Amino acid sequence: MMVWIKLFTSALIIAFVTELSRRFPLYGGIIAALPLISLLSIFWLTVQGETVNQIQTFTIGVIIGLPATIVMLLAVYIMLKNSFPFIVALLVGVISWGLCLGIQKIIFDIFTPRNLL
């Protein structure tokens, strides 16, 4: 039952943001940039009884993923602004995201103490 509640809630949020974005693209983008997925995930993890340590680790994962997500969105924006086809822009964005995560992992492995994560 909990899975259906999560699916329904998520679908409602996605539908709301996409409909808002159709009418008001700037405001839709601002709302889409809110940490809705992160907050919903933290909420559901708490409801499901996950430990504080698990939620903290999840939160660190979100923080680590932010720079790569920003790079992906910038790549998609730049590609679309320069009239590349939508699918090409998405592909370049996803590749940029993956490369950024790979670079971050290398940097973190070099500079992060093993007991931090």
Side-chain angles (χ1 to χ4, degrees), residues 64 99-112 114:
I64 290 170
L99 288 172
C100 187
L101 282 178
I103 292 167
Q104 280 181 249
K105 181 174 179 1
I106 292 167
I107 292 169
F108 282 166
D109 287 347
I110 293 170
F111 294 107
T112 305
R114 296 285 174 219

Side-chain angles (χ1 to χ4, degrees), residues 57-80:
T57 303
F58 169 81
T59 305
I60 284 291
V62 171
I63 292 168
I64 290 170
L66 282 176
T69 300
I70 292 168
V71 167
M72 179 194 73
L73 293 172
L74 281 172
V76 170
Y77 171 77
I78 290 168
M79 295 293 288
L80 291 174

Side-chain angles (χ1 to χ4, degrees), residues 3-78:
V3 170
W4 292 109
I5 293 170
K6 289 188 261 185
L7 284 171
F8 183 70
T9 305
S10 301
L12 281 177
I13 291 170
I14 291 168
F16 171 75
V17 171
T18 54
E19 284 302 310
L20 180 69
S21 297
R22 280 187 26 196
R23 293 182 181 97
F24 309 101
L26 180 63
Y27 296 124
I30 291 169
I31 290 175
L34 294 172
L36 294 174
I37 301 301
S38 300
L39 293 175
L40 274 174
S41 298
I42 290 169
F43 173 78
W44 290 120
L45 288 169
T46 303
V47 167
Q48 293 173 178
E50 301 299 329
T51 65
V52 171
N53 190 40
Q54 288 170 311
I55 295 170
Q56 286 174 328
T57 303
F58 169 81
T59 305
I60 284 291
V62 171
I63 292 168
I64 290 170
L66 282 176
T69 300
I70 292 168
V71 167
M72 179 194 73
L73 293 172
L74 281 172
V76 170
Y77 171 77
I78 290 168

